[in-house]
Amino acid sequence: MEAVLKVLPHALDLLSNQHKESVKQTHAQMQGHRCVHSEREENLTGQSIPLDTPVSRRARSSPYPLISVDEAQKLVLEHSTALNAVLIPVSQFLASGYVLAEDVKSIEPVPGYRASMVDGYAVYVEDGPGVYPVESIALAETQEANMTLSRGKIARVATGGMVPDGANAVIMIEDTKLVKASADGKQELEIEILVSASKGDNIREIGSDCGIGQVVGVKGQRIGASEVALLASVGIRHVRVYRKPLVGVLSSGNEVLDHMPTDRLKPGQIRDTNRLSLLAAIRNAGFETMDLGIVSDKVQDIEECLDEALSKVDVIVTTGGVSMGEADLMKPILEQKLNATIHFGRVLMKPGKPATFATIPCGKKSKLIFALPGNPVSATVTFYLFVLPALRKMAGWSNPDNVVISVELENDINLDTRPEFHRVHVRASTNGLVAKSTGSQLSSRMLSMKEANGLLKLPIKSPEQSRLQKGTKVQCMLIGQLDPQ
């Protein structure tokens, strides 16, 4: 009992994580005992060990603090800024994700002439119903000059055709009757107007849709197909937009092979899927890409590849080499060879814990590097969480965050000790949006991404809750299009 009483204060200090100096002193007095209780905390230097460190002396725990997903996302956006503005033509290519860098005002009225809204006859409303001779024809085509309609006569007009001067209404063809045609039956000579009209009926006046100087686009607005049509309609032929980032994608690893020229894998080899999936995801999001290929696990090769890429692209995305293995060289190379600042090197999440974000000074600005885990699912999930919002902000998006919706679980789901981003297929049902798990969620299992259009944001497992039941409402981040019911 005396032995227990002697060490009880020390045990209490350890349990409470207080009085750290007292703990160290006690351990120093205990011959042959090495203190490891607070080793993890003491090793959180945020700096990688020297590249020439022998493998026997490599770190046994990561020096990078473990931060939350929210903290990591905030850091990414803090270091992502809109790129320079460029002047580009108004064309179909403008609708591929560009964002306006300034307000845009119309320089032409729409319509630019008095246009008929229907197929029918231009009239003077004062003349009223009755039989009238057809004086002229106005089709939807170019006319050198507009004509003036005589009182007591009417003019045949097509939808979009120019309404003659003097006419103050258009009667729909359905409200008329043919009275007399030419001898060959090709021309209308007299038409009976069957209804009365009010001034302005079925006429689009000049500038009634959009006047000169009216704002048709605002800074920060994303341009889609409808916006392109609007800009063209008011005479805008060029607009100033934010340049979209060019993204280089690099795979690393001695075991990683290009899938196309590789007929058969040897033991220990794998096909490169990360580069393909990330290049496709970036392109699908509307951004330009550069394929940086595959680099071996050699310090010089990785350094040279990254250094060359920095002169060509705005953002670099790598996969592999960010965990705790002896060939995981990406973080120390970034810090020690490229003078990078690593803003985070571990994130409390599943999958994707070793995800890394760094900036490298390049002239007056810094360029972004995302060093993602090598496991295929981890790389894809962390791309959507961290890389895609950064690209959007660089392209001028005012709100670059991912869309998060509420869904109902279609099956029970077990919780993990880390916040998990569980892959699901979301679809519409009569009761709202439902989400079905894609099965086993191993970070190496690409089948879990098959048909996945959402990532459930699952809470940490607790003694009170170890699983979510079918029918539970959960927040879900969309990464693809929703299927109809």
PDB file of all heavy atoms in Angstrom, residues 78-97:
ATOM      1  N   GLU A  78      -8.142  31.027 -47.137  1.00  0.00           N
ATOM      2  CA  GLU A  78      -7.370  32.215 -46.743  1.00  0.00           C
ATOM      3  C   GLU A  78      -6.188  32.456 -47.680  1.00  0.00           C
ATOM      4  O   GLU A  78      -5.786  33.599 -47.906  1.00  0.00           O
ATOM      5  CB  GLU A  78      -6.857  32.052 -45.313  1.00  0.00           C
ATOM      6  CG  GLU A  78      -7.910  32.305 -44.246  1.00  0.00           C
ATOM      7  CD  GLU A  78      -7.350  32.101 -42.840  1.00  0.00           C
ATOM      8  OE1 GLU A  78      -6.162  31.709 -42.728  1.00  0.00           O
ATOM      9  OE2 GLU A  78      -8.088  32.329 -41.865  1.00  0.00           O
ATOM     10  N   HIS A  79      -5.637  31.388 -48.235  1.00  0.00           N
ATOM     11  CA  HIS A  79      -4.463  31.505 -49.097  1.00  0.00           C
ATOM     12  C   HIS A  79      -4.808  31.379 -50.585  1.00  0.00           C
ATOM     13  O   HIS A  79      -3.902  31.315 -51.419  1.00  0.00           O
ATOM     14  CB  HIS A  79      -3.429  30.443 -48.712  1.00  0.00           C
ATOM     15  CG  HIS A  79      -2.797  30.692 -47.376  1.00  0.00           C
ATOM     16  ND1 HIS A  79      -3.348  30.221 -46.194  1.00  0.00           N
ATOM     17  CD2 HIS A  79      -1.688  31.389 -47.022  1.00  0.00           C
ATOM     18  CE1 HIS A  79      -2.593  30.591 -45.182  1.00  0.00           C
ATOM     19  NE2 HIS A  79      -1.587  31.297 -45.642  1.00  0.00           N
ATOM     20  N   SER A  80      -6.087  31.372 -50.899  1.00  0.00           N
ATOM     21  CA  SER A  80      -6.526  31.307 -52.300  1.00  0.00           C
ATOM     22  C   SER A  80      -7.095  32.671 -52.685  1.00  0.00           C
ATOM     23  O   SER A  80      -8.029  33.151 -52.043  1.00  0.00           O
ATOM     24  CB  SER A  80      -7.591  30.223 -52.481  1.00  0.00           C
ATOM     25  OG  SER A  80      -7.127  28.973 -52.016  1.00  0.00           O
ATOM     26  N   THR A  81      -6.540  33.277 -53.689  1.00  0.00           N
ATOM     27  CA  THR A  81      -7.025  34.586 -54.135  1.00  0.00           C
ATOM     28  C   THR A  81      -7.331  34.553 -55.622  1.00  0.00           C
ATOM     29  O   THR A  81      -6.749  33.764 -56.381  1.00  0.00           O
ATOM     30  CB  THR A  81      -5.974  35.680 -53.860  1.00  0.00           C
ATOM     31  OG1 THR A  81      -4.739  35.322 -54.504  1.00  0.00           O
ATOM     32  CG2 THR A  81      -5.733  35.839 -52.374  1.00  0.00           C
ATOM     33  N   ALA A  82      -8.237  35.421 -56.031  1.00  0.00           N
ATOM     34  CA  ALA A  82      -8.640  35.484 -57.442  1.00  0.00           C
ATOM     35  C   ALA A  82      -7.442  35.858 -58.314  1.00  0.00           C
ATOM     36  O   ALA A  82      -6.627  36.705 -57.952  1.00  0.00           O
ATOM     37  CB  ALA A  82      -9.769  36.487 -57.621  1.00  0.00           C
ATOM     38  N   LEU A  83      -7.360  35.222 -59.471  1.00  0.00           N
ATOM     39  CA  LEU A  83      -6.286  35.502 -60.419  1.00  0.00           C
ATOM     40  C   LEU A  83      -6.574  36.795 -61.172  1.00  0.00           C
ATOM     41  O   LEU A  83      -7.610  37.433 -60.975  1.00  0.00           O
ATOM     42  CB  LEU A  83      -6.135  34.322 -61.383  1.00  0.00           C
ATOM     43  CG  LEU A  83      -5.764  32.977 -60.736  1.00  0.00           C
ATOM     44  CD1 LEU A  83      -5.701  31.879 -61.781  1.00  0.00           C
ATOM     45  CD2 LEU A  83      -4.429  33.078 -60.007  1.00  0.00           C
ATOM     46  N   ASN A  84      -5.657  37.176 -62.049  1.00  0.00           N
ATOM     47  CA  ASN A  84      -5.807  38.414 -62.815  1.00  0.00           C
ATOM     48  C   ASN A  84      -6.963  38.311 -63.803  1.00  0.00           C
ATOM     49  O   ASN A  84      -7.402  37.220 -64.178  1.00  0.00           O
ATOM     50  CB  ASN A  84      -4.520  38.719 -63.577  1.00  0.00           C
ATOM     51  CG  ASN A  84      -4.114  37.583 -64.511  1.00  0.00           C
ATOM     52  OD1 ASN A  84      -3.823  36.482 -64.061  1.00  0.00           O
ATOM     53  ND2 ASN A  84      -4.106  37.849 -65.802  1.00  0.00           N
ATOM     54  N   ALA A  85      -7.477  39.470 -64.213  1.00  0.00           N
ATOM     55  CA  ALA A  85      -8.582  39.523 -65.164  1.00  0.00           C
ATOM     56  C   ALA A  85      -8.048  39.532 -66.598  1.00  0.00           C
ATOM     57  O   ALA A  85      -6.980  40.080 -66.875  1.00  0.00           O
ATOM     58  CB  ALA A  85      -9.439  40.756 -64.920  1.00  0.00           C
ATOM     59  N   VAL A  86      -8.795  38.907 -67.494  1.00  0.00           N
ATOM     60  CA  VAL A  86      -8.438  38.865 -68.914  1.00  0.00           C
ATOM     61  C   VAL A  86      -9.666  39.223 -69.739  1.00  0.00           C
ATOM     62  O   VAL A  86     -10.804  39.029 -69.308  1.00  0.00           O
ATOM     63  CB  VAL A  86      -7.903  37.476 -69.327  1.00  0.00           C
ATOM     64  CG1 VAL A  86      -6.572  37.192 -68.670  1.00  0.00           C
ATOM     65  CG2 VAL A  86      -8.912  36.376 -68.966  1.00  0.00           C
ATOM     66  N   LEU A  87      -9.434  39.742 -70.946  1.00  0.00           N
ATOM     67  CA  LEU A  87     -10.518  40.115 -71.852  1.00  0.00           C
ATOM     68  C   LEU A  87     -10.697  38.998 -72.866  1.00  0.00           C
ATOM     69  O   LEU A  87      -9.756  38.637 -73.579  1.00  0.00           O
ATOM     70  CB  LEU A  87     -10.176  41.422 -72.577  1.00  0.00           C
ATOM     71  CG  LEU A  87     -11.314  42.103 -73.340  1.00  0.00           C
ATOM     72  CD1 LEU A  87     -12.373  42.613 -72.360  1.00  0.00           C
ATOM     73  CD2 LEU A  87     -10.770  43.241 -74.188  1.00  0.00           C
ATOM     74  N   ILE A  88     -11.897  38.418 -72.913  1.00  0.00           N
ATOM     75  CA  ILE A  88     -12.129  37.322 -73.847  1.00  0.00           C
ATOM     76  C   ILE A  88     -13.425  37.562 -74.616  1.00  0.00           C
ATOM     77  O   ILE A  88     -14.316  38.272 -74.160  1.00  0.00           O
ATOM     78  CB  ILE A  88     -12.187  35.956 -73.125  1.00  0.00           C
ATOM     79  CG1 ILE A  88     -13.381  35.889 -72.171  1.00  0.00           C
ATOM     80  CG2 ILE A  88     -10.908  35.691 -72.354  1.00  0.00           C
ATOM     81  CD1 ILE A  88     -13.561  34.498 -71.580  1.00  0.00           C
ATOM     82  N   PRO A  89     -13.548  36.951 -75.821  1.00  0.00           N
ATOM     83  CA  PRO A  89     -14.743  37.147 -76.644  1.00  0.00           C
ATOM     84  C   PRO A  89     -15.977  36.499 -76.017  1.00  0.00           C
ATOM     85  O   PRO A  89     -15.877  35.515 -75.277  1.00  0.00           O
ATOM     86  CB  PRO A  89     -14.388  36.454 -77.971  1.00  0.00           C
ATOM     87  CG  PRO A  89     -12.914  36.242 -77.933  1.00  0.00           C
ATOM     88  CD  PRO A  89     -12.539  36.118 -76.503  1.00  0.00           C
ATOM     89  N   VAL A  90     -17.120  37.072 -76.316  1.00  0.00           N
ATOM     90  CA  VAL A  90     -18.389  36.466 -75.907  1.00  0.00           C
ATOM     91  C   VAL A  90     -18.713  35.363 -76.910  1.00  0.00           C
ATOM     92  O   VAL A  90     -19.064  35.625 -78.059  1.00  0.00           O
ATOM     93  CB  VAL A  90     -19.511  37.520 -75.868  1.00  0.00           C
ATOM     94  CG1 VAL A  90     -20.856  36.846 -75.604  1.00  0.00           C
ATOM     95  CG2 VAL A  90     -19.227  38.561 -74.798  1.00  0.00           C
ATOM     96  N   SER A  91     -18.550  34.122 -76.459  1.00  0.00           N
ATOM     97  CA  SER A  91     -18.797  32.952 -77.306  1.00  0.00           C
ATOM     98  C   SER A  91     -19.275  31.816 -76.428  1.00  0.00           C
ATOM     99  O   SER A  91     -19.410  31.965 -75.204  1.00  0.00           O
ATOM    100  CB  SER A  91     -17.522  32.537 -78.049  1.00  0.00           C
ATOM    101  OG  SER A  91     -16.590  31.976 -77.132  1.00  0.00           O
ATOM    102  N   GLN A  92     -19.523  30.668 -77.042  1.00  0.00           N
ATOM    103  CA  GLN A  92     -19.986  29.517 -76.268  1.00  0.00           C
ATOM    104  C   GLN A  92     -18.968  29.075 -75.229  1.00  0.00           C
ATOM    105  O   GLN A  92     -19.316  28.489 -74.200  1.00  0.00           O
ATOM    106  CB  GLN A  92     -20.326  28.340 -77.197  1.00  0.00           C
ATOM    107  CG  GLN A  92     -19.138  27.712 -77.920  1.00  0.00           C
ATOM    108  CD  GLN A  92     -18.842  28.381 -79.247  1.00  0.00           C
ATOM    109  OE1 GLN A  92     -19.145  29.557 -79.439  1.00  0.00           O
ATOM    110  NE2 GLN A  92     -18.274  27.623 -80.161  1.00  0.00           N
ATOM    111  N   PHE A  93     -17.692  29.379 -75.456  1.00  0.00           N
ATOM    112  CA  PHE A  93     -16.648  28.962 -74.518  1.00  0.00           C
ATOM    113  C   PHE A  93     -16.679  29.771 -73.227  1.00  0.00           C
ATOM    114  O   PHE A  93     -16.104  29.376 -72.217  1.00  0.00           O
ATOM    115  CB  PHE A  93     -15.278  29.087 -75.188  1.00  0.00           C
ATOM    116  CG  PHE A  93     -15.171  28.283 -76.458  1.00  0.00           C
ATOM    117  CD1 PHE A  93     -15.116  28.920 -77.692  1.00  0.00           C
ATOM    118  CD2 PHE A  93     -15.153  26.900 -76.418  1.00  0.00           C
ATOM    119  CE1 PHE A  93     -15.035  28.189 -78.860  1.00  0.00           C
ATOM    120  CE2 PHE A  93     -15.076  26.156 -77.588  1.00  0.00           C
ATOM    121  CZ  PHE A  93     -15.017  26.807 -78.815  1.00  0.00           C
ATOM    122  N   LEU A  94     -17.336  30.919 -73.253  1.00  0.00           N
ATOM    123  CA  LEU A  94     -17.443  31.755 -72.065  1.00  0.00           C
ATOM    124  C   LEU A  94     -18.263  31.076 -70.975  1.00  0.00           C
ATOM    125  O   LEU A  94     -18.102  31.364 -69.786  1.00  0.00           O
ATOM    126  CB  LEU A  94     -18.082  33.096 -72.446  1.00  0.00           C
ATOM    127  CG  LEU A  94     -18.093  34.217 -71.410  1.00  0.00           C
ATOM    128  CD1 LEU A  94     -16.684  34.592 -70.998  1.00  0.00           C
ATOM    129  CD2 LEU A  94     -18.828  35.436 -71.951  1.00  0.00           C
ATOM    130  N   ALA A  95     -19.136  30.149 -71.373  1.00  0.00           N
ATOM    131  CA  ALA A  95     -20.033  29.478 -70.427  1.00  0.00           C
ATOM    132  C   ALA A  95     -19.396  28.257 -69.774  1.00  0.00           C
ATOM    133  O   ALA A  95     -20.101  27.413 -69.214  1.00  0.00           O
ATOM    134  CB  ALA A  95     -21.321  29.079 -71.131  1.00  0.00           C
ATOM    135  N   SER A  96     -18.077  28.158 -69.817  1.00  0.00           N
ATOM    136  CA  SER A  96     -17.396  26.988 -69.257  1.00  0.00           C
ATOM    137  C   SER A  96     -16.861  27.239 -67.862  1.00  0.00           C
ATOM    138  O   SER A  96     -15.896  26.601 -67.444  1.00  0.00           O
ATOM    139  CB  SER A  96     -16.249  26.565 -70.187  1.00  0.00           C
ATOM    140  OG  SER A  96     -15.279  27.604 -70.287  1.00  0.00           O
ATOM    141  N   GLY A  97     -17.468  28.187 -67.136  1.00  0.00           N
ATOM    142  CA  GLY A  97     -17.070  28.418 -65.758  1.00  0.00           C
ATOM    143  C   GLY A  97     -16.400  29.741 -65.488  1.00  0.00           C
ATOM    144  O   GLY A  97     -15.859  29.945 -64.399  1.00  0.00           O
TER     145      GLY A  97
END
